[in-house]
């Protein structure tokens, strides 16, 4: 439940609901059934925790893409039903656009233009937000997402799951300069590629089975963070951005957070680094962008369906440095 | 993975990731609506690279990215290309939730780690097994026809794979 687009009254994530334990081991977003079981308790908890009644609610927003169609349909159908019952507008929201708005829930008066680095298990996207709902995609990954590379490297090294926090922690004990892993496309346009660094780790560990896991983790993390931060910094300089903002699950990585803060300070711009809870998937950011979209575009039609392949608007061409 | 022992296979070698993409493109030119390819190989072997070459040959113009987290991606080219990764699924019930039979109805479907859910898959398929060779970028790619659909076009398949498969490496 979000008030006026930026005040979080409640934010419930399904893993906080006891029901989730029943699905131990299951990838929650896969199972349409799990969504079906969880949606009512989660919505009820959100309304209750906000201390509101149904008649206080002005609109219902739900993600309609991208994602798995089964899971999306549960959310979209529930939101439409609630909108009909409560007689309020329904707003269909792009999940990626919602990530762009997570930071505004903690700092509503962010200055723009702002470069947003959206990094998660499924996405790595560099965006410049010129104003509310006005943004351009500069680039995205051409193969693996950054978070995926963390998970796969951790998996390969037998470090456990989820890989991001494990590598983050282990890196603290390792030397980031121990192994020179490739920085793919570092100076080449705005897109990213993290498949190569993953394979380079695999090759290095195969050839050097005795290598220190902490050194590999730290060197790998440094390679990924280098590319992410350098590209965001270059975009901010070139576009005259006021800030660099992190979004998505990988924004919880402590090295990415500290390096982003460092370069922003050096360049005299703001580093917008949301809390870890706001970086990962949450409904508050969906409500925040729903409020923006409702103001700009009005309600979505109740015929709006799920769109599993939804993307952010296509990139405009920028000169490559 | 235990393919039928008598299923005919072609063993290929590539030494760069671009060659793997080209090889995949050669296979894609034989693809038809409803086809299924199961991609087997360790982390970093090149399953997504194979799919990139495959999709590009079918006229897909957007970047083909890894489906490990998104689980299922769909692209439009000359044919629809469904790209799945079932590594993170813990059981076959979840494979049902991905609605694989419905996906298979439209376009060509490539499933990374598909060997984990073979009982949930149709028996007509092409198994692509990628293993690491000696050099960092060397790969052995074993392509095995399972079922009538692919056994029925073995000659074309062998011809398409000719540049990467020495005659002595074609075996039954």
């Amino acid at each position: 439940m979000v008030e006026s687009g930026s005040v979080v009254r409640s934010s419930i994530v399904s893993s906080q609901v006891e029901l989730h334990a029943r699905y131990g081991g299951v990838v929650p977003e896969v199972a349409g059934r799990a969504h079906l079981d969880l949606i009512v308790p989660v919505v009820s908890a959100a309304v209750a925790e906000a201390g509101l009644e149904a008649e206080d609610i002005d609109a219902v927003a739900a993600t309609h893409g991208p994602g798995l169609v089964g899971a999306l349909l549960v959310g979209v159908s529930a939101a439409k039903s609630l909108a009909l019952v409560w007689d309020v507008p329904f707003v269909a929201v792009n999940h990626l656009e919602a990530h762009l708005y997570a930071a505004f829930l903690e700092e509503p008066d962010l200055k723009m233009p702002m470069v947003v680095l959206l990094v998660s298990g499924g996405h790595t996207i560099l965006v410049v937000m010129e104003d509310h709902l006005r943004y351009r995609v500069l680039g995205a990954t051409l193969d693996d997402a950054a978070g995926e590379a963390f998970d796969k490297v951790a998996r390969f090294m037998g470090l456990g799951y989820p890989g991001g926090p494990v590598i983050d922690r282990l890196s603290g004990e390792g030397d980031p300069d121990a192994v020179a892993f490739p920085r793919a496309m570092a100076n080449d346009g705005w897109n990213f590629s993290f498949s190569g660094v993953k394979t380079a780790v695999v090759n290095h560990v195969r050839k050097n089975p005795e290598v220190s896991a902490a050194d590999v983790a730290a060197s790998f993390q440094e390679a990924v963070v280098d590319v992410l931060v350098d590209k965001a910094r270059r975009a901010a300089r070139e576009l005259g951005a006021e800030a660099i903002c992190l979004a998505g699950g990988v924004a919880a990585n402590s090295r990415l957070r500290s390096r982003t803060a460092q370069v922003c300070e050096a360049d005299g711009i703001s580093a917008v680094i949301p809390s870890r809870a706001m970086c990962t998937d949450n409904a508050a950011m969906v409500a925040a962008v729903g409020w923006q979209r409702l103001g700009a575009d009005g309600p979505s039609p109740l015929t709006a369906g799920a769109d599993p392949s939804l993307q952010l608007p296509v990139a405009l061409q920028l000169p490559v440095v | 993975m235990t393919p039928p022992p008598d299923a005919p296979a072609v063993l290929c070698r590539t030494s760069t990731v671009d060659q793997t993409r080209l090889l995949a493109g050669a296979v894609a030119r034989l693809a038809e609506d409803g086809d299924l390819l199961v991609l087997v190989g360790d982390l970093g072997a090149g399953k997504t690279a194979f799919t990139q070459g495959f999709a590009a040959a079918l006229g897909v113009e957007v970047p083909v990215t890894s489906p490990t987290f998104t689980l299922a991606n769909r692209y439009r080219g000359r044919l629809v290309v469904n790209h799945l990764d079932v590594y993170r699924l813990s059981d076959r019930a979840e494979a049902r939730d991905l609605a694989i039979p419905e996906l298979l109805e439209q376009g060509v479907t490539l499933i990374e780690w598909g060997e984990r859910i073979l009982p949930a898959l149709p028996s007509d398929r092409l198994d692509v097994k990628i293993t690491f060779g000696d050099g960092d970028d060397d790969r052995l790619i074993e392509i095995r026809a399972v079922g009538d659909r692919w056994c029925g076009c073995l000659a074309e398949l062998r011809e398409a794979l000719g540049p990467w498969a020495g005659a002595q490496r074609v075996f039954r």
Side-chain angles (χ1 to χ4, degrees), chain A residues 153-174:
Chain A
V153 162
R155 186 206 296 175
F156 172 74
M157 295 175 67
L159 300 176
Y161 184 90
V166 180
I167 289 188
D168 193 347
R169 199 162 50 242
L170 189 59
S171 293
E173 302 157 21

Side-chain angles (χ1 to χ4, degrees), chain A residues 24-74:
Chain A
V26 172
V27 183
E29 72 266 29
V30 177
R33 272 195 310 280
H35 271 69
L36 214 47
D37 287 356
L38 289 165
I39 188 94
V40 171
V42 167
V43 171
S44 307
V47 175
E49 196 181 295
L52 297 172
E53 303 292 333
E55 50 268 30
D56 299 321
I57 293 162
D58 295 322
V60 185
T63 296
H64 75 128
L68 288 170
V69 69
L72 292 171
L73 281 174
V74 172

Side-chain angles (χ1 to χ4, degrees), chain A residues 25-27 29-31 33 68 121-122 141-144 148 151-152 155-156 161 198-199 202-203 206-207, chain B residues 42-44 52 63-66 68-72 74 87-90 93-94 97-98 113 132 136 139:
Chain A
V26 172
V27 183
E29 72 266 29
V30 177
R33 272 195 310 280
L68 288 170
T141 183
L142 299 178
D143 40 52
D144 291 6
E148 173 179 357
D151 262 336
K152 287 184 167 173
R155 186 206 296 175
F156 172 74
Y161 184 90
K198 168 193 73 185
T199 309
V202 169
N203 283 331
R206 274 173 201 275
K207 278 189 225 151
Chain B
D42 286 340
L43 210 68
Q52 288 170 339
V64 169
T65 56
S66 168
T68 302
F69 271 77
T70 51
L71 301 169
R74 170 168 276 195
Y87 182 87
R88 297 197 305 141
L89 303 194
S90 58
E94 290 183 347
D97 280 327
L98 274 183
W113 302 98
F132 286 85
D136 280 358
R139 297 290 185 273

Side-chain angles (χ1 to χ4, degrees), chain A residues 69-96:
Chain A
V69 69
L72 292 171
L73 281 174
V74 172
V76 167
S77 306
K80 287 181 190 173
S81 309
L82 290 171
L84 275 173
V85 170
W86 293 335
D87 196 21
V88 295
F90 158 72
V91 190
V93 164
N94 181 325
H95 173 77
L96 301 171

Side-chain angles (χ1 to χ4, degrees), chain B residues 101-131:
Chain B
E102 286 79 1
L103 281 175
L104 286 171
E105 278 172 17
Q106 200 194 352
V108 190
T109 302
L110 298 94
I111 308 185
E112 302 194 17
W113 302 98
E115 74 274 22
R116 295 173 168 229
I117 56 160
L118 276 190
L121 298 176
S123 51
D124 255 328
R125 57 175 205 268
L126 199 64
D127 288 345
V128 178
K129 185 177 176 183
I130 312 178
T131 47

